[in-house]
Amino acid sequence: YFTAEEDQVSGRQLGMGKVIPNRGAWLELETSKRDVISVKVDRKRKIPITVLLRALAAVEDAYEEMPLKEGNDEELLALFETVDHVAEHPYIQSTIERDPTKDARSALEEFYRKMRPGDPPTFDNARDYLTALLFNPRRYDLGKVGRYKLNQRLELDIPLNKRTLTKKDVIAIVERVIRLNNGADSPDDIDHLGNRRVKTVGELLQNQLRIGLLRMERVVRERMSIRDPEQLTPIALINIRPVVAVIREFFGGSQLSQFMDQTLSLIHI
């Protein structure tokens, strides 16, 4: 969703963007009154958007037709020169001035340092972390409807079965925020029913099953690491209790449960 908030001092409309996946880290972009565009990934610390854009040059996704190769200032300015052309408000240039990094490698390590402040940032760890955060289907899923709506809003033609974010998505989102700041685009109404969707019972149950299977996988991995390989058998490794527990929780305590609905007087009529 793209929204705009009015600056109380200048009266300008400052653009904001939010990507909410079906599963995975949220992306929240906002513009400050000093023309700096920043992003919060997974609701954590705010970083300049140029740090994330530079870091994308060091990771791979399924679509590599992208002009970001080194992640330097010249590439970033050339990438957005068609939309960031208002001399009074140079958003990318203002953000670069607040950006302590100058290339893809340093940006990747800075991104990892901000997201995981306790861990020592190394290039390999940071690259694996960013790849898993946004480009790994096990960790990130827009859903078919999410991919369709993203393509529609950003005017992209990425296949519907590509349900993770791509570099083209991130660049197009930043372009939309800049256009919103310049008055060339209109904000979305998040309360409009066209921007909302009803989840089916099958989808909700599928999400619960996925949680149960992931817990069962973790138990299997733990048992494989502590037991003698010669004594391993499927019965000794696999415990179905996590899956049974989440299914019982879904039918016994979810919003669709009859036990929850019995507080409504209309249920008994």
Side-chain angles (χ1 to χ4, degrees), residues 14-39:
L14 300 178
M16 305 171 69
K18 187 178 291 186
V19 182
I20 305 173
N22 186 35
R23 179 180 72 247
W26 290 26
L27 279 185
E28 299 171 89
L29 285 79
E30 58 184 63
T31 311
S32 73
K33 58 185 178 182
R34 293 183 175 84
D35 301 334
V36 176
I37 300 176
S38 54
V39 61

Tab-separated table of all heavy atoms in Angstrom, residues 14-39:
chain	number	residue	atom	x	y	z
A	14	LEU	N	4.158	13.690	2.103
A	14	LEU	CA	5.317	12.801	2.197
A	14	LEU	C	4.851	11.362	1.991
A	14	LEU	O	4.006	10.862	2.727
A	14	LEU	CB	6.003	12.952	3.557
A	14	LEU	CG	6.519	14.363	3.880
A	14	LEU	CD1	7.137	14.404	5.267
A	14	LEU	CD2	7.532	14.828	2.834
A	15	GLY	N	5.406	10.724	0.976
A	15	GLY	CA	4.967	9.397	0.586
A	15	GLY	C	5.485	8.299	1.501
A	15	GLY	O	6.598	8.374	2.035
A	16	MET	N	4.657	7.264	1.684
A	16	MET	CA	5.023	6.090	2.465
A	16	MET	C	4.564	4.860	1.707
A	16	MET	O	3.592	4.902	0.951
A	16	MET	CB	4.361	6.133	3.844
A	16	MET	CG	4.635	7.388	4.638
A	16	MET	SD	3.633	7.502	6.136
A	16	MET	CE	4.352	6.189	7.100
A	17	GLY	N	5.284	3.764	1.887
A	17	GLY	CA	4.921	2.507	1.242
A	17	GLY	C	5.051	1.359	2.212
A	17	GLY	O	5.900	1.381	3.117
A	18	LYS	N	4.187	0.360	2.044
A	18	LYS	CA	4.220	-0.787	2.950
A	18	LYS	C	3.935	-2.054	2.152
A	18	LYS	O	2.949	-2.121	1.419
A	18	LYS	CB	3.182	-0.604	4.053
A	18	LYS	CG	3.226	-1.642	5.158
A	18	LYS	CD	2.190	-1.358	6.233
A	18	LYS	CE	2.523	-0.111	7.030
A	18	LYS	NZ	1.587	0.071	8.172
A	19	VAL	N	4.823	-3.053	2.282
A	19	VAL	CA	4.635	-4.354	1.642
A	19	VAL	C	4.386	-5.372	2.749
A	19	VAL	O	5.266	-5.648	3.563
A	19	VAL	CB	5.862	-4.762	0.806
A	19	VAL	CG1	5.614	-6.103	0.116
A	19	VAL	CG2	6.190	-3.704	-0.236
A	20	ILE	N	3.169	-5.937	2.760
A	20	ILE	CA	2.783	-6.898	3.796
A	20	ILE	C	2.610	-8.263	3.130
A	20	ILE	O	1.605	-8.492	2.449
A	20	ILE	CB	1.476	-6.472	4.492
A	20	ILE	CG1	1.605	-5.047	5.049
A	20	ILE	CG2	1.128	-7.440	5.617
A	20	ILE	CD1	0.315	-4.491	5.608
A	21	PRO	N	3.557	-9.159	3.295
A	21	PRO	CA	3.431	-10.476	2.648
A	21	PRO	C	2.497	-11.403	3.410
A	21	PRO	O	2.105	-11.120	4.554
A	21	PRO	CB	4.871	-11.009	2.669
A	21	PRO	CG	5.464	-10.396	3.901
A	21	PRO	CD	4.819	-9.038	4.050
A	22	ASN	N	2.146	-12.495	2.777
A	22	ASN	CA	1.365	-13.533	3.449
A	22	ASN	C	2.183	-14.160	4.574
A	22	ASN	O	1.652	-14.518	5.622
A	22	ASN	CB	0.955	-14.591	2.413
A	22	ASN	CG	0.015	-15.624	2.993
A	22	ASN	OD1	-0.830	-15.324	3.834
A	22	ASN	ND2	0.167	-16.874	2.567
A	23	ARG	N	3.490	-14.277	4.341
A	23	ARG	CA	4.411	-14.830	5.342
A	23	ARG	C	5.780	-14.218	5.116
A	23	ARG	O	6.283	-14.211	4.002
A	23	ARG	CB	4.490	-16.354	5.182
A	23	ARG	CG	5.438	-17.033	6.148
A	23	ARG	CD	5.477	-18.540	5.961
A	23	ARG	NE	6.163	-18.961	4.743
A	23	ARG	CZ	5.569	-19.544	3.714
A	23	ARG	NH1	4.273	-19.756	3.714
A	23	ARG	NH2	6.264	-19.910	2.641
A	24	GLY	N	6.376	-13.658	6.156
A	24	GLY	CA	7.719	-13.106	6.012
A	24	GLY	C	7.831	-11.690	6.546
A	24	GLY	O	6.934	-11.169	7.213
A	25	ALA	N	8.971	-11.056	6.253
A	25	ALA	CA	9.300	-9.739	6.802
A	25	ALA	C	8.536	-8.631	6.083
A	25	ALA	O	8.430	-8.634	4.859
A	25	ALA	CB	10.812	-9.503	6.682
A	26	TRP	N	8.019	-7.678	6.853
A	26	TRP	CA	7.368	-6.502	6.282
A	26	TRP	C	8.436	-5.528	5.794
A	26	TRP	O	9.524	-5.415	6.374
A	26	TRP	CB	6.515	-5.802	7.329
A	26	TRP	CG	5.282	-6.546	7.737
A	26	TRP	CD1	5.075	-7.895	7.695
A	26	TRP	CD2	4.080	-5.973	8.271
A	26	TRP	NE1	3.826	-8.203	8.164
A	26	TRP	CE2	3.188	-7.052	8.527
A	26	TRP	CE3	3.674	-4.680	8.543
A	26	TRP	CZ2	1.921	-6.846	9.048
A	26	TRP	CZ3	2.412	-4.471	9.080
A	26	TRP	CH2	1.544	-5.544	9.324
A	27	LEU	N	8.095	-4.781	4.743
A	27	LEU	CA	8.914	-3.657	4.273
A	27	LEU	C	8.083	-2.388	4.449
A	27	LEU	O	6.980	-2.293	3.903
A	27	LEU	CB	9.294	-3.815	2.800
A	27	LEU	CG	10.473	-4.711	2.429
A	27	LEU	CD1	10.732	-4.613	0.932
A	27	LEU	CD2	11.729	-4.357	3.193
A	28	GLU	N	8.610	-1.417	5.195
A	28	GLU	CA	7.900	-0.161	5.424
A	28	GLU	C	8.810	0.999	5.046
A	28	GLU	O	9.846	1.214	5.672
A	28	GLU	CB	7.479	-0.051	6.893
A	28	GLU	CG	6.532	-1.156	7.346
A	28	GLU	CD	6.305	-1.160	8.840
A	28	GLU	OE1	5.369	-0.468	9.301
A	28	GLU	OE2	7.061	-1.844	9.546
A	29	LEU	N	8.420	1.737	3.998
A	29	LEU	CA	9.193	2.880	3.524
A	29	LEU	C	8.520	4.168	3.954
A	29	LEU	O	7.287	4.251	3.982
A	29	LEU	CB	9.318	2.862	1.996
A	29	LEU	CG	10.276	1.849	1.366
A	29	LEU	CD1	9.659	0.463	1.315
A	29	LEU	CD2	10.683	2.280	-0.037
A	30	GLU	N	9.326	5.149	4.279
A	30	GLU	CA	8.778	6.461	4.618
A	30	GLU	C	9.741	7.554	4.200
A	30	GLU	O	10.948	7.321	4.044
A	30	GLU	CB	8.467	6.561	6.112
A	30	GLU	CG	9.643	6.320	7.026
A	30	GLU	CD	9.232	6.332	8.491
A	30	GLU	OE1	8.432	5.476	8.902
A	30	GLU	OE2	9.732	7.218	9.215
A	31	THR	N	9.194	8.756	4.013
A	31	THR	CA	9.982	9.907	3.575
A	31	THR	C	10.001	10.936	4.689
A	31	THR	O	8.948	11.268	5.251
A	31	THR	CB	9.367	10.539	2.310
A	31	THR	OG1	9.110	9.523	1.344
A	31	THR	CG2	10.320	11.564	1.708
A	32	SER	N	11.192	11.457	5.002
A	32	SER	CA	11.292	12.496	6.029
A	32	SER	C	11.172	13.873	5.368
A	32	SER	O	11.257	14.011	4.144
A	32	SER	CB	12.624	12.386	6.763
A	32	SER	OG	13.683	12.838	5.932
A	33	LYS	N	10.980	14.903	6.183
A	33	LYS	CA	10.851	16.256	5.638
A	33	LYS	C	12.169	16.774	5.067
A	33	LYS	O	12.172	17.791	4.369
A	33	LYS	CB	10.324	17.207	6.712
A	33	LYS	CG	11.190	17.285	7.960
A	33	LYS	CD	10.513	18.149	9.007
A	33	LYS	CE	11.338	18.213	10.290
A	33	LYS	NZ	10.660	19.020	11.339
A	34	ARG	N	13.272	16.066	5.336
A	34	ARG	CA	14.571	16.424	4.746
A	34	ARG	C	14.832	15.632	3.463
A	34	ARG	O	15.983	15.545	3.015
A	34	ARG	CB	15.687	16.176	5.762
A	34	ARG	CG	15.631	17.098	6.971
A	34	ARG	CD	16.806	16.854	7.907
A	34	ARG	NE	16.830	17.796	9.003
A	34	ARG	CZ	16.146	17.664	10.128
A	34	ARG	NH1	15.366	16.602	10.297
A	34	ARG	NH2	16.212	18.579	11.078
A	35	ASP	N	13.793	15.042	2.892
A	35	ASP	CA	13.856	14.310	1.609
A	35	ASP	C	14.647	13.017	1.695
A	35	ASP	O	15.157	12.530	0.680
A	35	ASP	CB	14.454	15.200	0.488
A	35	ASP	CG	13.647	16.458	0.267
A	35	ASP	OD1	12.441	16.430	0.568
A	35	ASP	OD2	14.213	17.454	-0.208
A	36	VAL	N	14.772	12.443	2.890
A	36	VAL	CA	15.483	11.175	3.052
A	36	VAL	C	14.458	10.046	3.083
A	36	VAL	O	13.519	10.074	3.893
A	36	VAL	CB	16.325	11.161	4.346
A	36	VAL	CG1	16.984	9.795	4.546
A	36	VAL	CG2	17.380	12.259	4.292
A	37	ILE	N	14.616	9.063	2.186
A	37	ILE	CA	13.729	7.901	2.156
A	37	ILE	C	14.392	6.782	2.955
A	37	ILE	O	15.523	6.393	2.676
A	37	ILE	CB	13.470	7.437	0.710
A	37	ILE	CG1	12.813	8.558	-0.094
A	37	ILE	CG2	12.578	6.202	0.691
A	37	ILE	CD1	12.601	8.222	-1.553
A	38	SER	N	13.684	6.264	3.947
A	38	SER	CA	14.222	5.209	4.805
A	38	SER	C	13.286	4.013	4.774
A	38	SER	O	12.137	4.102	4.342
A	38	SER	CB	14.423	5.712	6.233
A	38	SER	OG	13.223	6.259	6.727
A	39	VAL	N	13.807	2.877	5.254
A	39	VAL	CA	13.020	1.640	5.251
A	39	VAL	C	13.201	0.923	6.574
A	39	VAL	O	14.279	0.943	7.168
A	39	VAL	CB	13.447	0.732	4.057
A	39	VAL	CG1	14.917	0.332	4.175
A	39	VAL	CG2	12.575	-0.515	3.969
